[in-house]
Amino acid sequence: MPYSVGTVSIFYSSGCELMEIFINNVLTLTIEKGQTQSITVPCIKKLEVRCQGKEGECCKGKYQLAIHYKDPFYDFPQKEGCLK
């Protein structure tokens, strides 16, 4: 599998107080209602969104994930632990 870089954009529209975004099992972003945040990370393998509120509450929002694969004519910096 080629080396990749992923850009994640999250818009949190309504629900509990906070939404947590985990990338590759690491808490990466904490978003409040009405916020939009984006982050670009190398070697993205897993995206998880968690709602931090009362049981039974629903969080609503949108996410966009763009994966950029290595161009054979451009050398991405290598990240330890990523597949090349």
Side-chain angles (χ1 to χ4, degrees), residues 1-8 23-25 40-47 65-70 76-84:
M1 177 182 282
Y3 178 74
S4 65
V5 175
T7 301
V8 179
I23 298 175
N24 298 335
N25 298 316
T40 300
V41 294
C43 199
I44 189 166
K45 296 178 183 176
K46 182 178 178 181
L47 172 66
L65 176 61
I67 303 293
H68 313 279
Y69 288 98
K70 181 178 179 178
F76 277 111
Q78 294 300 309
K79 172 100 172 140
E80 188 176 317
C82 288
L83 298 174
K84 294 180 185 174

Side-chain angles (χ1 to χ4, degrees), residues 1-72:
M1 177 182 282
Y3 178 74
S4 65
V5 175
T7 301
V8 179
S9 298
I10 307 280
F11 169 65
Y12 182 26
S13 59
S14 64
C16 56
E17 292 180 34
L18 296 174
M19 180 181 282
E20 294 178 334
I21 312 304
F22 291 78
I23 298 175
N24 298 335
N25 298 316
V26 175
L27 178 60
T28 307
L29 297 172
T30 302
I31 303 175
E32 296 178 1
K33 283 187 278 190
Q35 285 187 326
T36 299
Q37 290 193 29
S38 297
I39 188 168
T40 300
V41 294
C43 199
I44 189 166
K45 296 178 183 176
K46 182 178 178 181
L47 172 66
E48 182 179 351
V49 178
R50 293 184 191 170
C51 187
Q52 295 299 319
K54 298 175 185 169
E55 190 173 327
E57 273 188 299
C58 287
C59 292
K60 294 182 182 179
K62 295 180 182 181
Y63 76 92
Q64 179 180 356
L65 176 61
I67 303 293
H68 313 279
Y69 288 98
K70 181 178 179 178
D71 182 330

